[in-house]
Amino acid sequence: MKNTATEQDAVTAVLKENLDRIETQIAAACREAGRPRGEVALMAVSKMHPASAIIAAEALGVRLFGENRVQEFQEKIALLSLPHGELHGEPGQAGQAGAEFHLIGHLQSNKAARAAELFASVDTLDSVSLAERLDQAARRLGRRLRVLIEIKLSPEESKAGMDPESEELAGLLERLPDLVGLEMRGLMMVPPFLEDLAAVRPYFRGLRVLRERLAVAHPRLSFGELSMGMSHDFPVAIDEGATQVRIGTALFGARDYSK
């Protein structure tokens, strides 16, 4: 019989080592950028990792998590919830200390209602129609759902998000103040994966400059959050103004895409 307690202890030990290293790197990047450490939130990207990894990370003090798919997170809820299946605290929270879950993957409109129930924030808003569905769902739940607009600056077809110069983005920004079920918080982006960090910097800088321009043009909306930077490039993102970095592989290890 396997000693599951011993195995879990080993997993937690590795996770703690990874978390300590990441925290040291974030602190160093903040110092180099002349920013307080408190300006940058660490989001643990738990997609394709088991609920036990989330529980272990939460025990180590991690409070912010990112999930990619509604269905995947829904399957994890039973292990993060009260016996009768309700999340602890507010929607998007679980665990005794109120860990918070954000949706960071593409959301189909037909899953908007469930996403509004499960997540504290949808960080990949990319259309007016999706905004309207999320608004309706949030108002039915009697809550305000936080959202970030996903921007596409990468030329890669595989990347999602809104063209910063598109009429659709302009229309969304005009529509959002009237959607009282949503709380606009800022922008997010997934840049291309580039080994040369100097080559990825312009993407981070581009999102920051766009954020500054949109904040002036749309004073009724909040653009405080800038979610950008992942395991291999987050120090550059912090230098360019990221307020939230999304760390998965460097924290939890490689994902098993065969499952």
Side-chain angles (χ1 to χ4, degrees), residues 71-105:
Q71 182 177 348
E72 179 186 345
F73 183 56
Q74 187 169 269
E75 292 170 355
K76 294 176 182 179
I77 285 176
L79 299 175
L80 301 171
S81 306
L82 291 165
H84 57 307
E86 295 179 3
L87 289 172
H88 290 273
E90 298 297 320
Q93 292 186 338
Q96 297 294 341
E100 186 174 288
F101 294 86
H102 291 209
L103 182 66
I104 60 170

Side-chain angles (χ1 to χ4, degrees), residues 110-233:
N110 62 359
K111 295 181 180 177
R114 189 58 175 142
E117 294 177 0
L118 294 176
F119 295 99
S121 176
V122 172
D123 293 357
T124 51
L125 180 61
D126 62 0
S127 71
V128 173
S129 61
L130 178 58
E132 291 175 341
R133 288 209 179 192
L134 288 171
D135 171 65
Q136 292 170 3
R139 285 190 287 111
R140 281 196 298 269
L141 293 167
R143 63 176 298 219
R144 294 195 75 199
L145 176 68
R146 285 173 276 158
V147 294
L148 301 183
I149 297 175
E150 183 173 13
I151 300 295
K152 177 177 165 57
L153 296 180
S154 168
E156 299 170 291
E157 291 185 5
S158 61
K159 293 291 188 292
M162 305 188 80
D163 183 327
E165 305 302 327
S166 67
E167 291 184 4
E168 186 169 25
L169 175 59
L172 175 60
L173 292 168
E174 290 297 327
R175 184 82 176 94
L176 275 171
D178 297 324
L179 301 180
V180 296
L182 303 183
E183 181 183 349
M184 167 67 175
R185 298 292 291 269
L187 307 177
M188 76 89 76
M189 177 195 64
V190 181
F193 185 96
L194 301 171
E195 295 292 347
D196 181 3
L197 296 185
V200 79
R201 183 181 291 273
Y203 294 95
F204 296 138
R205 183 170 297 163
L207 191 67
R208 172 172 55 81
V209 170
L210 176 65
R211 186 265 299 269
E212 293 168 355
R213 174 164 62 86
L214 294 180
V216 171
H218 300 275
R220 295 173 63 194
L221 297 174
S222 172
F223 290 88
E225 293 287 358
L226 207 55
S227 178
M228 59 186 191
M230 295 182 285
S231 289
H232 73 293
D233 58 17

Side-chain angles (χ1 to χ4, degrees), residues 44-50 54 65-67 72 76 101 247 252:
V45 178
S46 48
K47 67 175 186 178
M48 300 186 71
H49 291 287
I54 296 173
F65 294 86
E67 288 281 333
E72 179 186 345
K76 294 176 182 179
F101 294 86
I247 311 298
F252 293 112

